[in-house]
Amino acid sequence: MRVLLVEDDARFARALTAALRRSGYEVDHAPTAAAALAAPPGDLVLLDVGLPDGDGMDVCRQLRAQGEVAIIMLTARGEERDRVAGLRGGADDYVVKPFGFAELQARIEAVLRRARPRPAGVREVGGLRVDLDRHEARVGGEPVTLTRKEFHLLTLLVTEPGAAVRRERLLTEVWHTSWRGTSRTLDVHMATLRGKIGESAQIETIRGVGYRIVPGPARP
């Protein structure tokens, strides 16, 4: 998950960047409006309203015109008229400074859940077939019984086959938390999921990163 932080206060930007990276986000920092518009927006933009070379409201409108990136405004302007202007200008949320990081993270998760389209259709990885609309998984034509969380985990893996899905993303989207104490629960669920799908597909652990799913070994 890549975040573009648009913030001219260098000290605040360093602290927030460090907190975001500890939570598993990749962060790019743009200290000006010009730098923000020149940078790849990534998955989410955290946008300060007061910038040295322009107004964050204008930046928001231009970013929104370029695509559907999620945008959260970060500002000390807490009046209702300012919040309304930000939301009408294209922001998905509006967070008033000062704020706690836990609140910001919760708002990031909520915005990304709303922005991310629901996966649909059928995905096949090796001998595993997952129907995302019907909430069904089959191995060799036989149904596999999965809990809701197991199916959600499998959905996140099969929609990006071969790609690493970070632990933080799995925890956030399935358990709605980034608390590392839940990490052991994730490992247990993955072990159970491996047992249920057998050798039809392989769920690989990528140490220090997360998991990915690849086709199982070819049968002789």
Side-chain angles (χ1 to χ4, degrees), residues 100-195:
F101 183 72
E103 177 192 358
L104 176 63
Q105 188 163 28
R107 288 176 179 269
I108 289 173
E109 293 164 4
V111 164
L112 291 177
R113 282 197 300 274
R114 294 195 299 268
R116 187 174 294 117
R118 179 179 175 270
V122 175
R123 303 289 192 277
E124 294 186 7
V125 180
L128 173 67
R129 186 177 190 274
V130 182
D131 189 323
L132 302 175
D133 297 311
R134 295 187 176 185
H135 247 61
E136 293 178 351
R138 292 179 177 269
V139 172
E142 295 298 319
V144 180
T145 301
L146 301 174
T147 67
R148 180 176 298 180
K149 281 187 167 51
E150 288 167 355
F151 190 85
H152 197 167
L153 288 170
L154 189 58
T155 295
L156 292 172
L157 294 173
V158 299
T159 50
E160 300 179 35
V165 183
R166 298 185 67 86
R167 298 180 70 90
E168 294 82 5
R169 179 182 170 190
L170 295 167
L171 291 171
T172 296
E173 296 203 23
V174 179
W175 282 273
H176 308 297
T177 181
S178 59
W179 181 53
R180 296 185 183 275
T182 315
S183 198
R184 176 59 181 161
T185 301
L186 170 61
D187 295 334
V188 170
H189 276 72
M190 283 298 188
T192 303
L193 197 50
R194 284 190 180 108

